[in-house]
PDB file of all heavy atoms in Angstrom:
ATOM      1  N   GLN A   2      25.681 -39.786 -44.445  1.00 96.00           N
ATOM      2  CA  GLN A   2      25.994 -39.399 -43.063  1.00 96.00           C
ATOM      3  C   GLN A   2      26.831 -40.486 -42.379  1.00 96.00           C
ATOM      4  O   GLN A   2      26.453 -41.659 -42.395  1.00 96.00           O
ATOM      5  CB  GLN A   2      24.712 -39.192 -42.253  1.00 96.00           C
ATOM      6  CG  GLN A   2      23.918 -37.977 -42.710  1.00 96.00           C
ATOM      7  CD  GLN A   2      22.935 -37.516 -41.651  1.00 96.00           C
ATOM      8  OE1 GLN A   2      22.965 -37.972 -40.511  1.00 96.00           O
ATOM      9  NE2 GLN A   2      22.069 -36.595 -42.025  1.00 96.00           N
ATOM     10  N   ILE A   3      27.922 -40.053 -41.793  1.00 97.00           N
ATOM     11  CA  ILE A   3      28.801 -40.970 -41.058  1.00 97.00           C
ATOM     12  C   ILE A   3      28.875 -40.473 -39.622  1.00 97.00           C
ATOM     13  O   ILE A   3      29.269 -39.325 -39.375  1.00 97.00           O
ATOM     14  CB  ILE A   3      30.232 -40.973 -41.656  1.00 97.00           C
ATOM     15  CG1 ILE A   3      30.208 -41.250 -43.166  1.00 97.00           C
ATOM     16  CG2 ILE A   3      31.133 -41.959 -40.918  1.00 97.00           C
ATOM     17  CD1 ILE A   3      29.677 -42.605 -43.567  1.00 97.00           C
ATOM     18  N   ALA A   4      28.486 -41.321 -38.678  1.00 97.00           N
ATOM     19  CA  ALA A   4      28.572 -40.927 -37.266  1.00 97.00           C
ATOM     20  C   ALA A   4      29.857 -41.492 -36.671  1.00 97.00           C
ATOM     21  O   ALA A   4      30.292 -42.599 -37.018  1.00 97.00           O
ATOM     22  CB  ALA A   4      27.365 -41.450 -36.501  1.00 97.00           C
ATOM     23  N   ILE A   5      30.446 -40.712 -35.798  1.00 96.00           N
ATOM     24  CA  ILE A   5      31.650 -41.163 -35.097  1.00 96.00           C
ATOM     25  C   ILE A   5      31.276 -41.260 -33.622  1.00 96.00           C
ATOM     26  O   ILE A   5      30.853 -40.266 -33.021  1.00 96.00           O
ATOM     27  CB  ILE A   5      32.809 -40.174 -35.346  1.00 96.00           C
ATOM     28  CG1 ILE A   5      33.156 -40.228 -36.846  1.00 96.00           C
ATOM     29  CG2 ILE A   5      34.028 -40.525 -34.504  1.00 96.00           C
ATOM     30  CD1 ILE A   5      33.461 -38.937 -37.457  1.00 96.00           C
ATOM     31  N   ALA A 191      22.465 -42.051 -39.511  1.00 95.00           N
ATOM     32  CA  ALA A 191      23.783 -42.380 -40.084  1.00 95.00           C
ATOM     33  C   ALA A 191      23.720 -43.613 -40.982  1.00 95.00           C
ATOM     34  O   ALA A 191      23.061 -44.595 -40.674  1.00 95.00           O
ATOM     35  CB  ALA A 191      24.783 -42.608 -38.960  1.00 95.00           C
ATOM     36  N   ASP A 192      24.434 -43.536 -42.109  1.00 95.00           N
ATOM     37  CA  ASP A 192      24.555 -44.696 -43.005  1.00 95.00           C
ATOM     38  C   ASP A 192      25.593 -45.670 -42.467  1.00 95.00           C
ATOM     39  O   ASP A 192      25.567 -46.851 -42.791  1.00 95.00           O
ATOM     40  CB  ASP A 192      24.983 -44.226 -44.401  1.00 95.00           C
ATOM     41  CG  ASP A 192      23.972 -43.252 -44.981  1.00 95.00           C
ATOM     42  OD1 ASP A 192      22.871 -43.706 -45.313  1.00 95.00           O
ATOM     43  OD2 ASP A 192      24.266 -42.041 -45.048  1.00 95.00           O
ATOM     44  N   LEU A 193      26.514 -45.135 -41.693  1.00 96.00           N
ATOM     45  CA  LEU A 193      27.586 -45.972 -41.120  1.00 96.00           C
ATOM     46  C   LEU A 193      28.055 -45.304 -39.826  1.00 96.00           C
ATOM     47  O   LEU A 193      28.150 -44.079 -39.760  1.00 96.00           O
ATOM     48  CB  LEU A 193      28.752 -46.059 -42.114  1.00 96.00           C
ATOM     49  CG  LEU A 193      30.006 -46.808 -41.666  1.00 96.00           C
ATOM     50  CD1 LEU A 193      29.723 -48.307 -41.565  1.00 96.00           C
ATOM     51  CD2 LEU A 193      31.155 -46.579 -42.653  1.00 96.00           C
ATOM     52  N   VAL A 194      28.335 -46.127 -38.822  1.00 97.00           N
ATOM     53  CA  VAL A 194      28.872 -45.584 -37.563  1.00 97.00           C
ATOM     54  C   VAL A 194      30.313 -46.075 -37.410  1.00 97.00           C
ATOM     55  O   VAL A 194      30.591 -47.268 -37.550  1.00 97.00           O
ATOM     56  CB  VAL A 194      28.032 -46.051 -36.352  1.00 97.00           C
ATOM     57  CG1 VAL A 194      28.594 -45.451 -35.055  1.00 97.00           C
ATOM     58  CG2 VAL A 194      26.567 -45.654 -36.518  1.00 97.00           C
ATOM     59  N   LEU A 195      31.206 -45.144 -37.168  1.00 97.00           N
ATOM     60  CA  LEU A 195      32.589 -45.518 -36.863  1.00 97.00           C
ATOM     61  C   LEU A 195      32.740 -45.529 -35.353  1.00 97.00           C
ATOM     62  O   LEU A 195      32.525 -44.511 -34.694  1.00 97.00           O
ATOM     63  CB  LEU A 195      33.570 -44.498 -37.460  1.00 97.00           C
ATOM     64  CG  LEU A 195      33.502 -44.248 -38.971  1.00 97.00           C
ATOM     65  CD1 LEU A 195      34.630 -43.309 -39.394  1.00 97.00           C
ATOM     66  CD2 LEU A 195      33.580 -45.558 -39.740  1.00 97.00           C
ATOM     67  N   LYS A 221      24.843 -50.250 -39.292  1.00 95.00           N
ATOM     68  CA  LYS A 221      26.083 -50.781 -39.838  1.00 95.00           C
ATOM     69  C   LYS A 221      27.231 -50.040 -39.162  1.00 95.00           C
ATOM     70  O   LYS A 221      27.177 -48.813 -39.033  1.00 95.00           O
ATOM     71  CB  LYS A 221      26.091 -50.496 -41.341  1.00 95.00           C
ATOM     72  CG  LYS A 221      27.190 -51.195 -42.101  1.00 95.00           C
ATOM     73  CD  LYS A 221      27.213 -50.734 -43.532  1.00 95.00           C
ATOM     74  CE  LYS A 221      26.490 -51.682 -44.448  1.00 95.00           C
ATOM     75  NZ  LYS A 221      26.768 -51.389 -45.881  1.00 95.00           N
ATOM     76  N   TYR A 222      28.256 -50.772 -38.714  1.00 96.00           N
ATOM     77  CA  TYR A 222      29.359 -50.075 -38.058  1.00 96.00           C
ATOM     78  C   TYR A 222      30.711 -50.688 -38.410  1.00 96.00           C
ATOM     79  O   TYR A 222      30.794 -51.827 -38.883  1.00 96.00           O
ATOM     80  CB  TYR A 222      29.176 -50.032 -36.532  1.00 96.00           C
ATOM     81  CG  TYR A 222      29.143 -51.385 -35.848  1.00 96.00           C
ATOM     82  CD1 TYR A 222      30.325 -52.026 -35.458  1.00 96.00           C
ATOM     83  CD2 TYR A 222      27.940 -52.021 -35.593  1.00 96.00           C
ATOM     84  CE1 TYR A 222      30.296 -53.250 -34.832  1.00 96.00           C
ATOM     85  CE2 TYR A 222      27.900 -53.253 -34.973  1.00 96.00           C
ATOM     86  CZ  TYR A 222      29.085 -53.863 -34.592  1.00 96.00           C
ATOM     87  OH  TYR A 222      29.044 -55.093 -33.989  1.00 96.00           O
ATOM     88  N   ALA A 223      31.738 -49.883 -38.209  1.00 96.00           N
ATOM     89  CA  ALA A 223      33.114 -50.335 -38.398  1.00 96.00           C
ATOM     90  C   ALA A 223      33.922 -49.764 -37.235  1.00 96.00           C
ATOM     91  O   ALA A 223      33.466 -48.849 -36.546  1.00 96.00           O
ATOM     92  CB  ALA A 223      33.659 -49.823 -39.721  1.00 96.00           C
ATOM     93  N   ILE A 248      38.713 -50.346 -39.974  1.00 96.00           N
ATOM     94  CA  ILE A 248      39.092 -49.612 -41.189  1.00 96.00           C
ATOM     95  C   ILE A 248      40.216 -48.594 -40.968  1.00 96.00           C
ATOM     96  O   ILE A 248      40.600 -47.901 -41.904  1.00 96.00           O
ATOM     97  CB  ILE A 248      37.868 -48.944 -41.862  1.00 96.00           C
ATOM     98  CG1 ILE A 248      37.225 -47.905 -40.938  1.00 96.00           C
ATOM     99  CG2 ILE A 248      36.860 -49.976 -42.316  1.00 96.00           C
ATOM    100  CD1 ILE A 248      36.175 -47.057 -41.645  1.00 96.00           C
ATOM    101  N   GLY A 284      37.715 -47.052 -46.558  1.00 95.00           N
ATOM    102  CA  GLY A 284      36.876 -48.035 -45.864  1.00 95.00           C
ATOM    103  C   GLY A 284      35.413 -47.592 -45.826  1.00 95.00           C
ATOM    104  O   GLY A 284      34.504 -48.403 -46.026  1.00 95.00           O
ATOM    105  N   ILE A 285      35.205 -46.314 -45.595  1.00 96.00           N
ATOM    106  CA  ILE A 285      33.830 -45.781 -45.559  1.00 96.00           C
ATOM    107  C   ILE A 285      33.173 -45.991 -46.922  1.00 96.00           C
ATOM    108  O   ILE A 285      32.034 -46.464 -47.022  1.00 96.00           O
ATOM    109  CB  ILE A 285      33.849 -44.266 -45.211  1.00 96.00           C
ATOM    110  CG1 ILE A 285      34.276 -44.055 -43.757  1.00 96.00           C
ATOM    111  CG2 ILE A 285      32.490 -43.623 -45.476  1.00 96.00           C
ATOM    112  CD1 ILE A 285      34.534 -42.600 -43.380  1.00 96.00           C
ATOM    113  N   LEU A 288      32.305 -49.603 -47.494  1.00 94.00           N
ATOM    114  CA  LEU A 288      31.192 -50.109 -46.683  1.00 94.00           C
ATOM    115  C   LEU A 288      29.855 -49.448 -47.015  1.00 94.00           C
ATOM    116  O   LEU A 288      28.809 -49.927 -46.597  1.00 94.00           O
ATOM    117  CB  LEU A 288      31.499 -49.898 -45.195  1.00 94.00           C
ATOM    118  CG  LEU A 288      32.611 -50.790 -44.646  1.00 94.00           C
ATOM    119  CD1 LEU A 288      33.066 -50.307 -43.282  1.00 94.00           C
ATOM    120  CD2 LEU A 288      32.127 -52.244 -44.543  1.00 94.00           C
ATOM    121  N   THR A 289      29.895 -48.340 -47.709  1.00 92.00           N
ATOM    122  CA  THR A 289      28.632 -47.649 -48.006  1.00 92.00           C
ATOM    123  C   THR A 289      28.293 -47.684 -49.487  1.00 92.00           C
ATOM    124  O   THR A 289      27.306 -47.101 -49.902  1.00 92.00           O
ATOM    125  CB  THR A 289      28.677 -46.161 -47.554  1.00 92.00           C
ATOM    126  OG1 THR A 289      29.822 -45.550 -48.140  1.00 92.00           O
ATOM    127  CG2 THR A 289      28.729 -46.022 -46.052  1.00 92.00           C
TER     128      THR A 289
END
Side-chain angles (χ1 to χ4, degrees):
Q2 292 199 10
I3 307 297
I5 295 140
D192 301 290
L193 176 70
V194 181
L195 303 185
K221 190 186 262 193
Y222 62 86
I248 62 170
I285 291 171
L288 290 167
T289 54

